[in-house]
Amino acid sequence: TKKKIEISLIDTQDNTNEEEIKQNIYKKTAIHRFATVEEIVDAYRFCVDNSFVNGSLIEVNGGYSYK
């Protein structure tokens, strides 16, 4: 079975983006923030724990739009 998780920007302690850059990116997401590490891990757990998920692409991007 193939499962693919496509992630967007993640909020980490190593994230060194300037605040103005972060705010511009936040405006382009439906939930106005970056993903947490825990949210990304949850997506992986979902794929591992659910054997019925097959041939799927899971987008974990908070509704990010490049527009």
Side-chain angles (χ1 to χ4, degrees):
T1 65
K2 292 184 180 182
K3 303 169 189 176
K4 180 179 178 185
I5 297 178
E6 186 174 284
I7 61 174
S8 186
L9 300 164
I10 303 171
D11 194 12
T12 66
Q13 291 178 348
D14 294 333
N15 193 332
T16 57
N17 288 332
E18 293 182 24
E19 192 61 31
E20 183 178 346
I21 294 171
K22 285 173 129 178
Q23 292 302 320
N24 285 333
I25 295 171
Y26 289 168
K27 291 176 188 176
K28 296 179 181 181
T29 65
I31 59 174
H32 306 291
R33 62 179 177 82
F34 292 158
T36 65
V37 172
E38 291 81 13
E39 289 168 324
I40 302 304
V41 170
D42 286 344
Y44 279 92
R45 276 195 196 117
F46 172 77
C47 287
V48 169
D49 293 343
N50 191 332
S51 62
F52 206 71
V53 175
N54 187 0
S56 299
L57 168 64
I58 309 287
E59 294 184 46
V60 184
N61 61 18
Y64 183 72
S65 173
Y66 295 101
K67 298 176 184 176

